[in-house]
């Protein structure tokens, strides 16, 4: 199977009568791709950035983003409040995030032993997903909102991260303890925040020149929670079907 990586410049490439059936694109930039007369039936697209306010995806002349967003809101009650702007709305939105994850953990707990550590198609396991959310919270809350120099928990899993070979993999109980601590930090902050504090400027942790506010940082955290819950429950569905 031919493989292309970061060093392969395919920007602006044109494919004519090419057979790409069964091809897999992972962490790839396909924005502004134009497809004409293609057979994409049975395709499977996962594009988290379709949730942004200015996103669009045109299929046969129809922007399908509003339909996707509405369906995800139906499947994940509470997701529709992820961009709440005032303190009361954010408190309610965060409570819904916590409840949704509690329900997912109960589901995973009821499945066969080892489910939380099982990977589907090379994706993060349920436990690894929770570790990544610990890291995401440390990045957007600890580093950006609280402006801490070193906010990172040692069990957090970086973006695209994996454990070093031979490293001790934490137990799920340890993962839950770390995660609960970070969730409580966000909960306590939102419980006491004010509209003025939400408007306060902050730095984007990945691009300091890009302006953020406390509110927009919290929106990223909430968005991360819902997107990764979607990934995790998708993989639970697959494991359950097996």
């Amino acid at each position: 199977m031919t493989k292309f990586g970061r060093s392969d410049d395919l920007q602006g490439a044109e494919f004519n009568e090419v057979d790409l059936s069964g091809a897999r694109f992972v962490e790839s930039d396909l924005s502004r791709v134009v497809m004409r007369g293609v057979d994409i039936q049975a395709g499977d697209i996962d594009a988290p950035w379709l949730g942004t306010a200015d996103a669009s995806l045109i299929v046969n002349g129809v922007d399908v983003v509003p339909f996707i967003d509405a369906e995800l809101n139906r499947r994940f009650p509470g997701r529709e409040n992820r961009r709440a702007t005032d303190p009361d709305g954010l408190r309610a939105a965060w409570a819904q995030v916590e409840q949704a994850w509690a329900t997912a953990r109960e589901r995973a707990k009821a499945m066969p032993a080892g489910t939380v550590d099982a990977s589907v198609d090379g994706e993060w396991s349920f436990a690894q997903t929770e570790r990544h959310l610990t890291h995401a919270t440390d990045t957007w809350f600890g580093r950006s909102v609280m402006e801490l120099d070193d906010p990172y928990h040692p069990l957090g899993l970086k973006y695209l991260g994996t454990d070093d070979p031979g490293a001790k993999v934490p137990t799920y109980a340890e993962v839950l303890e770390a995660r609960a601590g970070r969730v409580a930090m966000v909960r306590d902050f939102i419980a006491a925040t004010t509209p003025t504090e939400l408007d306060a400027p902050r730095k984007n942790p990945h691009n300091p020149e890009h302006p953020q506010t406390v509110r927009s940082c919290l929106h990223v955290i909430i968005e991360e929670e819902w997107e990764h819950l979607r990934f995790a429950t998708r993989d639970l569905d697959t494991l359950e079907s097996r």
Side-chain angles (χ1 to χ4, degrees):
M1 179 179 64
T2 303
K3 288 190 176 184
F4 300 95
R6 289 179 181 269
S7 62
D8 300 298
D9 185 6
L10 293 174
Q11 292 187 46
E14 185 170 320
F15 302 90
N16 288 306
E17 298 185 5
V18 175
D19 186 353
L20 294 175
S21 58
R24 187 178 183 89
F25 300 87
V26 180
E27 303 295 339
S28 299
D29 185 353
L30 297 176
S31 58
R32 299 180 304 281
V33 164
V34 176
M35 303 180 186
R36 293 289 182 262
V38 300
D39 181 359
I40 198 171
Q41 56 89 21
D44 185 349
I45 300 173
D46 197 299
W49 293 276
L50 287 181
T52 59
D54 58 349
S56 67
L57 177 63
I58 311 301
V59 179
N60 291 351
V62 179
D63 185 357
V64 299
V65 168
F67 301 102
I68 295 170
D69 201 46
E71 175 60 16
L72 290 177
N73 287 344
R74 185 190 68 80
R75 295 185 184 187
F76 299 97
R79 178 182 179 275
E80 70 277 7
N81 298 320
R82 66 193 184 282
R83 297 192 187 101
T85 58
D86 58 67
D88 286 341
L90 285 168
R91 282 189 278 273
W94 189 250
Q96 289 170 313
V97 164
E98 289 197 50
Q99 180 56 55
W101 269 101
T103 299
R105 290 188 195 104
E106 285 300 313
R107 178 186 175 188
K109 183 179 179 181
M111 293 173 69
T115 292
V116 296
D117 294 315
S119 171
V120 175
D121 296 330
E123 300 283 350
W124 279 328
S125 67
F126 195 91
Q128 287 174 318
T129 298
E130 297 232 48
R131 289 175 60 191
H132 172 67
L133 286 170
T134 297
H135 177 80
T137 302
D138 285 342
T139 297
W140 286 94
F141 182 74
R143 186 175 172 186
S144 287
V145 174
M146 302 305 293
E147 300 181 298
L148 302 176
D149 291 331
D150 184 16
Y152 294 104
H153 193 287
L155 296 190
L157 201 57
K158 295 180 181 179
Y159 181 67
L160 294 181
T162 57
D163 289 306
D164 294 329
K168 180 182 178 295
V169 178
T171 66
Y172 188 48
E174 291 172 327
V175 172
L176 289 179
E177 182 179 4
R179 180 101 154 90
R182 278 2 190 208
V183 167
M185 286 168 57
V186 177
R187 184 197 311 127
D188 292 346
F189 179 86
I190 294 176
T193 196
T194 64
T196 300
E197 188 172 33
L198 291 174
D199 288 331
R202 288 295 186 271
K203 292 181 179 179
N204 184 300
H206 305 298
N207 182 7
E209 301 305 314
H210 184 75
Q212 302 281 169
T213 62
V214 169
R215 181 186 292 102
S216 65
C217 290
L218 292 174
H219 284 170
V220 173
I221 295 169
I222 295 172
E223 191 84 45
E224 286 274 318
E225 292 283 344
W226 285 115
E227 284 301 305
H228 285 283
L229 178 68
R230 180 171 65 83
F231 301 152
T233 53
R234 173 201 65 196
D235 290 349
L236 289 182
D237 290 342
T238 300
L239 291 169
E240 203 166 49
S241 69
R242 293 176 178 174

